[in-house]
Amino acid sequence: MTVHGADGAGGADALLRVLELLARQAPPAQFDTLLDEARRTGLAGEELHRLERAVDLAGAVHAGRARDTRREAGLAALTDTARDLTLSYDLDSLLRVVTRRTRRLLGLDLAYVTLRGPHGASYVHTSEGSRPATGPGARLTPGLRIAEGYGLGGAVQLHGGPVWTADYLADERFAPSGSLDAGVHAPAFDEAAESALRAEGVHAIVAAPLRSGDTVVGALYGADRRVRHHTPEEIGLLAGLADLAALAVEKAGLLDRTRAEVSELERDSSRVRTSLARMRHVSEAHGRIMNLVLAGGDLCNVAKAAADALDATVLIRDPGGRPLAAAGDIPGLDEEAVAKASLDAHARRRPVLTDDTWVAPVIAGSEDLGGLVVRAAGGLTGEDERLLELAAQCVAFLLLMRRSTAVAEGPVRDELLDDLIADPPHAPQQIAQRARRLGVDLGRPHVLVLARPEGGEQGRAVVWASSYAYRLSGLKTVQGGCIVLLLPGIDASAAAKAVAAELSPLLGHPVSVAAAGPAQSPDGVGRIHQEAHRCLDAMSALGGTGSAASAQDLGFLGLLLSDDNDVDGFVESAIGPVLDYDAERFTDLTHTLEAYFASGGSPSAAAEALHVHPNTVSRRLERIGELLGPEWQKPGQVLEVQLALRLQRTREVLARGRTTADPARQPGPPERGA
């Protein structure tokens, strides 16, 4: 279209042309061309001024439309970014989406996100557009630490809003001596971060805060490697993207916390299920053990049931530490440590662990009934400890049941033992039948123990004796202030010591205990009862009150007190090792002993009598000391050795006499025990 400048029609045509270009959304260059053509055709004055005004307005419309387009694009980008953030739950992926969109929408060379650490400093978490490292110096890559208060990040943290600069390296506000706040705030200097910015060649930087409530948790940066002035629309778009990045950080943090809570709930649920299973196991095991006790099971069965339930070795012991029952064996058991743990366990009234061994108290009220010693290869859990306590209670219940049974049967059992030791004795056959009905086999060897408490009340000792006799399948009665126990066994001395060791601590004062036996028939019980009485009287006469012994323990006094006068046993206990040594090696230690005593204990005089060198006698005496022990020359043992030598010599003379009287006997050395 040709613009005519001579008349008004030309001006009107020019305005119409502007409207046409505006309607077609023509580029600004065509509007400039229209003005140039109007001037060439002579359009001037008011008409030219109106045309220029119309072109300016068209440019403003065009610019507004461009801004609207950019705004729509930015809003669309924010919408797309928000949608993308809902698709991923990984913080790295979420922030990569934000930095990638920031760089593309704003036409930036570099975009990165920093997050605050726990101690105030920040670190680069995600970056887009960083140059590859080709030389020394850091880059704006993930992991770079940035000091608190440094650069734009410090300003964002301080003000809580976007901060930008067209040329960071030349901006005096961010120099170490500069100030963003009229002298109130001096930015920190971070050599590593400064070096990274220079290595990246950054000039223009804009930063927007990542806010979580009123707290700034990081910043979103956009940077150019050229000087650039950012428009308000660009800064607003960056701030919107920063808000989305903050939401991503919150989302990731919330997800992490949720995952941690879910994991903790799962662990709690697993622990609860495990605990319930263990509690059910404890309840069932306790029920089995208690049913076993109520059904009349013995301690061995209870120990085995507890061992199966705990998957461990279980020992049941009495208050003195002696074994009552066991399920397995514990090698290398430290008895001293177990004894200390037992005291602690009874004081605390709960199981105690020493090294790898548990000790549980068996108690009834304040009474000590013993303990359980347990060793488990895999250790015991809290529920196992509870089961151990319950097993100890079951053992205590069983022991109390035994005691109650013993007390209930006490009069009948007492009467049986009274008849056994009566003088004259009752009919042996009837007594044997009565004993069988009570579960006592008098055909087995038995020893008789007399226990005399030396002070205090006797009632507690009698109750204990009933339980003790019942536990060992024996009998008990009380006569003349003494507790009488008939117990299965062949070692009277050991039985006396066992009774004293258990009864004395229970009463808290000394107990004199004497024992005799064994007897293997009902008619022998009266005899060993009298022998035990003589032994107890001899202990009192010798000042042995509060001790425990048998007739055999009294040496030649026991020989005199004993009804069967066991000469062989006395000789064997006094000089048996010397006699055996002579018989095996054809030596003459016995004659040396006799010569030594005959010479008044002089080795030289004994050597003359034996026609040997004094050194020979000295060596023989040393050998005798090795055989009889280091105290063989003390007065008490010397007397027994001399008496045994005389008895042995008398037996040899009698043996030779029998050989001379009977020519049919073959000559030979005298027999031991003849």
Side-chain angles (χ1 to χ4, degrees):
M1 176 184 293
T2 302
V3 180
H4 302 282
D7 54 22
D13 291 341
L15 292 176
L16 182 60
R17 178 61 177 161
V18 169
L19 292 176
E20 289 176 352
L21 292 175
L22 185 61
R24 295 204 311 268
Q25 297 183 8
Q30 292 189 19
F31 289 92
D32 295 337
T33 302
L34 179 62
L35 278 175
D36 292 340
E37 184 179 351
R39 292 188 184 100
R40 286 196 306 270
T41 58
L43 188 65
E46 186 64 25
E47 293 296 332
L48 179 61
H49 177 70
R50 283 200 297 271
L51 179 60
E52 290 175 345
R53 177 63 178 161
V55 170
D56 290 340
L57 291 175
V61 171
H62 190 276
R65 185 177 296 164
R67 286 195 300 272
D68 291 342
T69 301
R70 288 195 299 273
R71 187 179 296 110
E72 290 176 2
L75 292 175
L78 289 175
T79 302
D80 293 342
T81 303
R83 184 178 63 253
D84 292 342
L85 294 180
T86 64
L87 301 178
S88 176
Y89 293 90
D90 177 61
L91 181 60
D92 293 342
S93 301
L94 295 174
L95 293 184
R96 275 197 298 272
V97 169
V98 172
T99 53
R100 193 175 297 120
R101 291 283 169 80
T102 300
R103 188 181 175 208
R104 188 176 73 245
L105 289 174
L106 299 181
L108 300 168
D109 295 326
L110 179 65
Y112 58 98
V113 173
T114 62
L115 298 178
R116 294 195 71 194
H119 302 294
S122 300
Y123 64 95
V124 176
H125 186 280
T126 307
S127 67
E128 285 282 338
S130 177
R131 287 175 175 174
T134 58
R139 294 291 189 275
L140 290 171
T141 54
L144 176 66
R145 184 183 181 278
I146 302 175
E148 183 178 9
Y150 169 76
L152 270 72
V156 167
Q157 183 69 33
L158 177 66
H159 297 289
V163 178
W164 64 94
T165 177
D167 190 356
Y168 174 80
L169 297 177
D171 195 332
E172 295 183 355
R173 295 180 301 164
F174 301 102
S177 59
S179 175
L180 289 172
D181 235 354
V184 176
H185 173 73
F189 182 74
D190 188 323
E191 183 176 354
E194 196 79 11
S195 174
L197 290 173
R198 293 184 182 278
E200 293 285 358
V202 170
H203 285 276
I205 305 177
V206 58
L210 274 61
R211 287 185 291 263
S212 177
D214 296 332
T215 304
V216 176
V217 298
L220 172 62
Y221 292 81
D224 275 296
R225 296 186 177 94
R226 57 188 173 85
V227 176
R228 173 178 174 179
H229 295 275
H230 294 283
T231 65
E233 290 82 0
E234 292 173 336
I235 295 172
L237 181 58
L238 184 73
L241 291 168
D243 290 338
L244 291 178
L247 289 176
V249 173
E250 285 188 358
K251 174 183 175 182
L254 178 62
L255 181 61
D256 289 342
R257 291 192 296 272
T258 302
R259 285 173 175 168
E261 291 174 359
V262 170
S263 298
E264 184 62 27
L265 289 174
E266 290 177 348
R267 287 192 293 270
D268 289 343
S269 177
S270 177
R271 286 193 291 266
V272 169
R273 287 196 300 269
T274 302
S275 179
L276 288 175
R278 292 297 303 168
M279 290 176 63
R280 185 164 52 250
H281 169 72
V282 169
S283 177
E284 293 174 353
H286 179 230
R288 288 194 299 270
I289 297 174
M290 183 56 71
N291 289 335
L292 191 62
V293 171
L294 295 176
D298 58 13
L299 286 175
C300 290
N301 292 332
V302 172
K304 187 177 185 307
D308 292 341
L310 295 170
D311 191 20
T313 300
V314 176
L315 309 180
I316 302 177
R317 296 187 169 187
D318 65 10
R322 289 171 293 276
L324 298 176
D329 183 40
I330 301 179
L333 187 62
D334 188 345
E335 293 293 350
E336 183 177 352
V338 169
K340 292 180 181 178
S342 180
L343 293 176
D344 291 341
H346 283 86
R348 301 177 186 178
R349 304 181 70 84
R350 59 182 178 82
V352 171
L353 176 64
T354 171
D355 293 332
D356 56 350
T357 303
W358 286 88
V359 179
V362 178
I363 50 180
S366 60
E367 184 176 357
D368 177 9
L369 300 178
L372 268 62
V373 181
V374 177
R375 179 177 292 176
L380 298 183
T381 64
E383 290 81 6
D384 291 333
E385 292 182 41
R386 177 56 181 161
L387 179 55
L388 180 56
E389 291 183 21
L390 295 174
Q393 291 178 6
C394 291
V395 172
F397 184 65
L398 179 56
L399 293 176
L400 290 177
M401 286 179 60
R402 284 187 170 186
R403 180 183 296 178
S404 299
T405 303
V407 171
E409 295 181 352
V412 179
R413 301 175 76 88
D414 290 356
E415 183 180 348
L416 174 61
L417 184 53
D418 287 335
D419 292 343
L420 280 169
I421 61 179
D423 187 19
H426 290 248
Q429 292 183 348
Q430 295 179 359
I431 288 181
Q433 291 176 357
R434 291 165 57 191
R436 281 194 295 271
R437 286 196 295 269
L438 293 175
V440 179
D441 183 7
L442 295 177
R444 296 170 54 193
H446 283 70
V447 296
L448 190 135
V449 180
L450 288 178
R452 184 178 64 203
E454 304 294 346
E457 295 184 1
Q458 197 180 52
R460 194 172 185 184
V462 173
V463 173
W464 170 87
S466 298
S467 175
Y468 187 79
Y470 185 84
R471 192 168 77 215
L472 299 184
S473 300
L475 299 173
K476 161 247 133 191
T477 189
V478 180
Q479 288 190 353
C482 292
I483 296 172
V484 185
L485 296 169
L486 183 66
L487 305 172
I490 59 174
D491 191 340
S493 178
K497 290 180 174 61
V499 169
E502 189 165 330
L503 184 55
S504 293
L506 177 66
L507 300 181
H509 53 76
V511 178
S512 299
V513 182
Q520 293 185 325
S521 62
D523 54 1
V525 175
R527 175 182 58 80
I528 61 175
H529 174 251
Q530 294 174 2
E531 185 177 324
H533 257 300
R534 289 195 293 270
C535 181
L536 187 62
D537 293 341
M539 291 167 55
S540 300
L542 295 172
T545 300
S547 60
S550 67
Q552 291 84 349
D553 295 328
L554 299 182
F556 73 92
L557 288 177
L559 180 66
L560 297 176
L561 296 173
S562 175
D563 284 335
D564 56 6
N565 297 321
D566 185 9
V567 175
D568 288 345
F570 176 73
V571 171
E572 178 67 27
S573 64
I575 61 172
V578 174
L579 298 176
D580 293 338
Y581 193 89
D582 283 347
E584 293 173 359
R585 292 171 174 78
F586 301 102
T587 55
D588 204 16
L589 298 183
T590 305
H591 290 161
T592 302
L593 265 178
E594 291 174 335
Y596 176 70
F597 289 128
S599 63
S602 172
S604 300
E608 291 180 5
L610 294 171
H611 306 289
V612 296
H613 194 277
N615 289 342
T616 302
V617 174
S618 297
R619 286 194 298 270
R620 291 179 181 179
L621 292 176
E622 290 177 0
R623 177 65 64 185
I624 291 170
E626 295 174 359
L627 295 172
L628 299 183
E631 299 183 355
W632 74 275
Q633 296 193 67
K634 289 191 175 181
Q637 191 168 351
V638 163
L639 180 59
E640 293 187 2
V641 171
Q642 289 178 332
L643 179 57
L645 286 171
R646 287 179 176 267
L647 290 173
Q648 178 65 12
R649 181 62 62 195
T650 301
R651 290 195 307 173
E652 291 176 355
V653 171
L654 293 175
R656 285 197 296 271
R658 286 196 298 271
T659 302
T660 304
D662 186 2
R665 267 180 86 88
Q666 296 292 329
E671 296 180 4
R672 294 272 302 279

